[in-house]
Amino acid sequence: MLNTDTIVALATPSGGAIGMVRLSGPDAIAITSRLFKPKNTKKKLREAQANTLHYGILHTLKGDEIDEVMVSVYHAPHSYTGEESVEITCHGSSYIMQSAVHALIDAGARQARPGEYTQRAYLNGKMDLSQAEAVADLIASTNRATHKIALSQLKGHFSNKLLILRDQLLKMTSLLELELDFSDHEDLEFANRDELKALACTISNHIKSLTHSFETGKALKKGIPVAIVGNTNVGKSTLLNQLLHEEKAIVSDVHGTTRDVIEDTMEIHGVTFRFIDTAGLRHTQDKVERIGIERAYQKLEEAAIVLWVIDQQPTQKESDQILSHIEDKKVVLVKNKADLISSSNASLAFPSLPSPLLHISISAKHGQGIQELEELIYATADIPELDENSVIVTNARHYEALSRAQVSISRVIEGLDLNLSGDLLAEDLRICLEELAEITGGAITSNEVLGNIFKHFCIGK
């Protein structure tokens, strides 16, 4: 039923100057023809050439005029879904667009289910599963970085990486399968074990590189968490307001004003950062403030970057307290109130630290050094240069499949070291292939392995 009926849905939200209604399926052009009357031509829409635009009036089946429209015609397989398709551009009124959809349903189409156009594109071979998922990511992209990653995946760069790995794995599997076919010839070896191990290690390194990129991808997708910590009244909330360019947090000279976690996001060079203002870290008998401090430490654990705000030399106890919670984290020491600190105290040292922290002097109250701090935060995040060819894993399903594939290829390397038999190695290779195929929605069949054998390793024709 999925590919034999014709579906219709809004392709754009209503309320704008113009809107679009999309049909896809074997009767898309025929159904539209029943309602569309072209102007300035007697040519029927059914006779239209592919990739052409037609101006006219859209009517209901009863003949009531809906709107003046432009109709785009696409013939299979040269359309988004790979099917006969029509796109009707009309005015963006909610009433007009809904009237058009209802009229097309009356004429023989049915309402499309969520994601059905992209599902049909996948089923018709217009894209693989990872590219189909990239469509949703592209629509949901909120900054330049996530847009580039989704666009790269939609263009098939991630799929191409997997295709290269697939071909290498298929080569290894085919060699071992061929060797098993000639197992009665004990001295015959098609799969040189040293060459197989070198290839397996190469594959393993590629898979590791992709899995390691998931942390970056996840951070870019959700926003890189930056915790602003420090004692009370050092200017954390003022700094948050400066970074966000709005009065997000209450600023007061009273100690303990911030009693809960305050979060908001901003972009720096097209990357989203999630700034988290926390309660001042100090000993207090106030129950509510203590809860806020506990939450501050929780957010500190989650942060990728920590802005440690100070306005004077902290005591060793204060340093030890914060340092115990920021091990293995990227830390920027923010020396606030630069307008008040005397030149003799401008350089605050931390002799107890094993290595110097990144540091910057600012005045959050007057906005001094804020732009330089933003640049330092971006540099600290160490985001790789992204372009349309970048391959960064952002999907948890892809990450899990890659992780399982890594386990399988590691078993192959271990099996080669232990000189295991070819049938055991081939089984782990097949599992690795299946895990990678799960990402794109493909599958390795016995015929593919046989075809690869005869294509590359056939003996004596």
Side-chain angles (χ1 to χ4, degrees), residues 290-431:
R290 280 213 309 267
I291 294 172
I293 293 170
E294 288 174 7
R295 291 182 179 179
Y297 281 121
Q298 290 173 1
K299 290 297 180 180
L300 194 55
E301 294 296 326
E302 298 171 10
I305 299 174
V306 176
L307 302 184
W308 181 4
V309 184
I310 61 172
D311 62 356
Q312 60 184 346
Q313 182 74 42
T315 65
Q316 189 62 52
K317 183 178 180 181
E318 291 170 345
S319 298
D320 292 342
Q321 182 183 19
I322 290 183
L323 288 171
S324 65
H325 288 84
I326 58 177
E327 292 180 6
D328 302 322
K329 292 188 181 294
K330 298 174 180 178
V331 182
V332 176
L333 183 65
V334 181
K335 304 174 185 179
N336 192 24
K337 304 181 183 179
D339 53 317
L340 301 179
I341 297 176
S342 65
S343 58
S344 60
N345 293 326
S347 179
L348 303 179
F350 289 84
S352 62
L353 299 182
S355 60
L357 297 175
L358 290 171
H359 61 86
I360 185 172
S361 294
I362 68 164
S363 171
K365 182 177 181 180
H366 299 290
Q368 175 187 335
I370 296 301
Q371 186 173 349
E372 291 80 2
L373 175 59
E374 290 178 3
E375 294 295 332
L376 186 56
I377 292 169
Y378 181 81
T380 304
D382 194 23
I383 303 299
E385 251 340 286
L386 299 175
D387 56 38
E388 63 175 20
N389 297 317
S390 300
V391 177
I392 303 289
V393 176
T394 60
N395 188 302
R397 187 183 72 83
H398 300 169
Y399 170 74
E400 290 166 3
L402 286 165
S403 298
R404 293 192 297 268
Q406 180 61 49
V407 171
S408 298
I409 198 65
S410 296
R411 283 201 302 263
V412 172
I413 295 171
E414 185 180 352
L416 286 166
D417 287 337
L418 296 173
N419 200 28
L420 296 183
S421 62
D423 55 340
L424 295 176
L425 297 173
E427 180 59 26
D428 281 326
L429 285 170
R430 283 182 179 277
I431 293 172

Side-chain angles (χ1 to χ4, degrees), residues 207-219:
I207 295 176
K208 280 180 183 176
S209 176
L210 289 172
T211 52
H212 288 167
S213 73
F214 179 63
E215 285 302 315
T216 300
K218 187 169 61 173

